[in-house]
Amino acid sequence: MNSFDVIGPCIRLLSPERAHNFTLWCLKHGLAPSQKTMADPILKTKLWGLDFSNPLGLAAGFDKNVDAVEPMLDQGLGFTEVGSITPLAQPGNPKPRVFRLSEDQAVINRMGFNNGGMEVAEKRLAKLRQKKLSGVLGVNLGKNKTTEVALEDYQKGARKLAPYADYMVINVSSPNTPGLRALQGRGELEVLISGVQDVLVSTLGEKAPPLVLKIAPDLTEEDKQDIATVALDLSLDGLTVTNTTIERPESLESGHRAEVGGLSGAPLFEASTEVLRDMYRLTEGRIPLIGVGGVASGRQAYAKIRAGASLVQLYSALVYAGPPLIPQILKELIVLLQQDGFSSVAEAVGADHR
């Protein structure tokens, strides 16, 4: 039995958002024990010139205000992603706005990019960057709810926060900000990506961090083709596949299944992995992919990698299994890679397509 087996059920007696805030507070104040990092060479991977000790990371949404970067990396993750961060602080949508679907090992949220804004984030990131982090740090950008010209917000965020990011993510796929997902259209994406790329180059030149686009799972075949075409044409550095879904599978059992918002966790795994597979095929394996959606085991992380993911993220599974899940996933991943004769994660990327 680990400590989370005792603490976890107690934390889940709190409402989901209170439990989340309490967890962040504990992490921030050093009350969460760290876990031994899995140092097996087979897990090491290199992407965008960055060295990852392992391919498993924390998805955006958990640490919106740069509160727990070091404590989460100390849980054994290879990387973590903060945000989404908007230029101005905003409270997000009315509460309650997070719901556990325990019977389904899932979560529905309609947070709405609640965060302290880029000024707060910059101060914390600057302080962090004075230290040597044990993993890679991604910064995820969003737009404020009331901003009419989305590009302006993403450019502001990129200009302000790029100096502190190992990689940057444009989030146009949250279902909880009105009109955001419309930015995934071909014309809108071309303007948005090229506009942010211009800012990154003018601000940092050759030192500009890689730029990644986070997309939704709820896409038509035409949407996916358009995203792939734009990503290739503009030499985008990566795609994160996928965000939460607005779909509600008939298999859902929880009484919260009809809540409005994005569904994450176990029911998202198959759909998000299918989109990942499609994007790898449509981009001909030329653009690195971060696979996210429903990962709760080493076998599922490995499925994402074989489908085309160079890196894998998780979040919702931690709500139910806690930090001990991280080394468990990595141990299982090592075994699966070895069983199939791979000597590295990179060798296994996209194996299902070969």
Side-chain angles (χ1 to χ4, degrees):
M1 178 182 285
N2 58 63
S3 59
F4 190 80
D5 290 335
V6 177
I7 298 169
C10 297
I11 292 175
R12 285 196 292 274
L13 291 174
L14 301 172
S15 70
E17 190 163 352
R18 283 192 175 189
H20 177 78
N21 292 336
F22 175 70
T23 301
L24 278 174
W25 185 88
C26 290
L27 288 164
K28 191 174 181 179
H29 290 86
L31 299 178
S34 59
Q35 299 187 112
K36 189 177 179 182
T37 302
M38 299 291 293
D40 197 303
I42 200 171
L43 293 175
K44 291 183 179 179
T45 193
K46 197 178 188 77
L47 192 64
W48 308 309
L50 301 168
D51 292 313
F52 294 78
S53 60
N54 68 69
L56 189 64
L58 180 66
F62 178 86
D63 189 6
K64 289 183 161 94
N65 292 311
V66 198
D67 285 316
V69 170
E70 289 179 288
M72 285 310 296
L73 289 175
D74 286 345
Q75 297 305 314
L77 295 167
F79 67 110
T80 188
E81 188 172 308
V82 296
S84 294
I85 299 166
T86 56
L88 300 176
Q90 61 182 24
N93 293 321
K95 300 176 183 178
R97 53 193 181 179
V98 193
F99 307 89
R100 295 189 199 98
L101 285 69
S102 300
E103 300 91 335
D104 308 293
Q105 294 290 287
V107 175
I108 289 175
N109 94 83
R110 49 172 180 266
M111 299 296 285
F113 287 169
N114 59 307
N115 73 108
M118 66 183 185
E119 299 290 342
V120 168
E122 183 190 27
K123 289 175 184 174
R124 294 177 181 177
L125 286 167
K127 195 173 178 182
L128 264 182
R129 281 312 188 186
Q130 293 173 4
K131 309 173 184 179
K132 182 172 174 58
L133 298 178
S134 62
V136 172
L137 175 59
V139 176
N140 185 302
L141 302 177
K143 71 173 277 291
N144 282 113
K145 185 175 182 178
T146 57
T147 299
E148 293 186 10
V149 182
L151 174 60
E152 293 177 1
D153 273 10
Y154 290 103
Q155 287 181 318
K156 287 175 185 175
R159 194 175 288 113
K160 177 74 81 172
L161 303 179
Y164 312 103
D166 290 321
Y167 71 91
M168 298 208 83
V169 182
I170 303 173
N171 183 0
V172 294
S173 50
S174 168
N176 303 316
T177 295
L180 191 73
R181 287 191 169 192
L183 297 174
Q184 293 174 119
R186 183 168 182 169
E188 292 84 355
L189 269 188
E190 287 174 343
V191 171
L192 185 62
I193 293 170
S194 60
V196 175
Q197 286 175 329
D198 289 345
V199 164
L200 291 175
V201 171
S202 64
T203 304
L204 293 171
E206 291 183 358
K207 293 184 178 179
L211 184 63
V212 178
L213 178 74
K214 187 167 187 175
I215 64 173
D218 314 308
L219 300 169
T220 65
E221 295 306 313
E222 184 180 2
D223 291 335
K224 287 182 273 192
Q225 182 62 69
D226 284 348
I227 290 168
T229 299
V230 171
L232 289 168
D233 287 350
L234 296 180
S235 299
L236 189 66
D237 296 298
L239 292 167
T240 299
V241 190
T242 67
N243 211 318
T244 59
T245 179
I246 56 174
E247 297 294 325
R248 296 293 182 267
E250 291 183 7
S251 61
L252 294 180
E253 297 178 5
S254 171
H256 291 303
R257 61 186 178 275
E259 290 290 347
V260 172
L263 173 71
S264 60
L268 180 59
F269 177 76
E270 294 296 341
S272 64
T273 306
E274 198 55 43
V275 177
L276 175 72
R277 200 181 307 281
D278 289 343
M279 296 313 298
Y280 186 87
R281 173 177 52 81
L282 291 167
T283 57
E284 301 169 353
R286 290 159 53 193
I287 294 180
L289 306 178
I290 301 176
V292 57
V295 173
S297 69
R299 188 165 295 281
Q300 288 174 318
Y302 187 50
K304 297 275 190 193
I305 290 166
R306 290 189 62 103
S310 295
L311 301 171
V312 177
Q313 290 177 324
L314 77 165
Y315 177 3
S316 296
L318 293 175
V319 172
Y320 297 102
L325 180 64
I326 294 165
Q328 184 180 319
I329 287 175
L330 293 174
K331 285 176 186 174
E332 190 176 345
L333 183 57
I334 291 169
V335 171
L336 292 166
L337 287 164
Q338 291 173 336
Q339 280 180 351
D340 286 348
F342 296 117
S343 61
S344 69
V345 171
E347 281 185 11
V349 173
D352 288 347
H353 299 266
R354 297 194 284 274

